[in-house]
């Protein structure tokens, strides 16, 4: 791991630990495996337990910025769930591989998961959005020589993705607000 990558990953982890003060935070090294490892060789997923800021679990990537930064700017991702599960760590690694492996994600983009978010869920895509559950204090993360933006990977349904394609991202977010969705509920009804 180069010094710059080490410093960037440490900065992201420090930022997440400070934001989630009072929560348990475990750094899980994640090896994408042969032939994929070079895409994000230093990937970690920070697993944040429930605590004073949130009663949910948060999964935050660290190592994505270092793999993809341009002019000091890049992304990391956060996902929130009601429980701890290895599948969420693996899903965060999948997001990083998708992003760093040729399908660069950004705000208002989406990606297919290829399976339900959890067994029985109709959420089978991720929508990249602002981290509304945590706000701009988590979103904006300074790193040496730049800035990482931590965006939310929100599980959504195929129907919601189709609605967004036809009517736009803002219209879909308005539907979410109107329906008062619980974004961590894998069994929530589709709003579209």
């Amino acid at each position: 791991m180069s010094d710059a990558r080490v410093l960037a990953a440490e900065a992201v982890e420090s930022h997440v630990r400070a934001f989630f003060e009072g929560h348990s935070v475990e750094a899980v090294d994640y090896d994408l495996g042969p032939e994929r490892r070079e895409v994000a060789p230093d990937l970690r997923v920070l697993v944040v337990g429930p605590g004073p800021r949130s009663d949910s679990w948060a999964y935050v990537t660290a190592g994505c910025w270092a793999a993809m930064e341009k002019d000091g700017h890049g992304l990391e991702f956060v996902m929130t769930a009601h429980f701890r599960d290895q599948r969420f760590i693996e899903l965060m690694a999948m997001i990083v591989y998708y992003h760093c492996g040729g399908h660069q994600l950004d705000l208002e983009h989406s990606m297919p998961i290829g399976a339900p978010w959890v067994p029985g869920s109709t959420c089978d895509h991720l929508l990249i959005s602002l981290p509304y559950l945590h706000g701009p204090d988590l979103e904006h993360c300074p790193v040496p020589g730049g800035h990482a933006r931590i965006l939310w990977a929100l599980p959504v349904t195929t129907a919601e993705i189709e609605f967004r394609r036809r009517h736009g991202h803002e219209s879909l977010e308005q539907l979410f607000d109107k329906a008062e969705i619980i974004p961590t509920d894998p069994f929530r009804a589709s709003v579209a």
Side-chain angles (χ1 to χ4, degrees):
M1 188 191 276
S2 74
D3 288 344
R5 288 177 186 242
V6 169
L7 293 174
E10 287 174 353
V12 171
E13 185 171 340
S14 292
H15 176 76
V16 169
R17 287 182 184 279
F19 180 82
F20 286 107
E21 185 177 353
H23 295 248
S24 67
V25 179
E26 177 188 356
V28 178
D29 289 325
Y30 197 91
D31 185 345
L32 291 168
E35 299 178 25
R36 293 182 174 187
R37 183 175 299 123
E38 67 278 357
V39 176
D42 311 312
L43 177 61
R44 274 187 224 154
V45 178
L46 306 173
V47 180
V48 181
R53 255 194 202 277
S54 170
D55 63 354
S56 297
W57 290 81
Y59 300 82
V60 187
T61 63
C64 186
W65 179 92
M68 291 290 290
E69 66 90 11
K70 288 186 181 150
D71 300 322
H73 300 285
L75 300 178
E76 297 287 355
F77 300 94
V78 60
M79 186 174 62
T80 310
H82 270 312
F83 54 94
R84 180 184 175 131
D85 195 301
Q86 180 65 27
R87 87 183 77 210
F88 301 137
I89 296 169
E90 292 166 1
L91 186 54
M92 296 310 289
M94 187 172 116
I95 293 166
V96 171
Y97 181 73
Y98 188 87
H99 175 68
C100 298
H103 302 282
Q104 192 168 352
L105 294 168
D106 206 342
L107 189 62
E108 300 182 7
H109 289 185
S110 62
M111 69 171 268
I113 298 173
W117 181 35
V118 301
S121 174
T122 58
C123 295
D124 58 0
H125 282 72
L126 295 173
L127 180 66
I128 307 304
S129 186
L130 295 174
Y132 293 116
L133 293 179
H134 306 297
D137 289 344
L138 178 65
E139 177 187 355
H140 301 290
C141 173
V143 296
H147 171 268
R149 190 172 190 196
I150 301 174
L151 295 179
W152 188 19
L154 171 65
V156 296
T157 67
T158 298
E160 290 164 345
I161 292 298
E162 290 304 320
F163 178 89
R164 180 187 61 104
R165 287 183 182 134
R166 287 192 309 275
H167 303 287
H169 186 86
E170 184 63 32
S171 293
L172 177 59
E173 288 198 345
Q174 288 172 0
L175 282 183
F176 289 151
D177 289 344
K178 184 177 179 184
E180 297 179 350
I181 68 163
I182 299 171
T184 57
D185 178 5
F187 307 110
R188 69 171 179 80
S190 181
V191 300

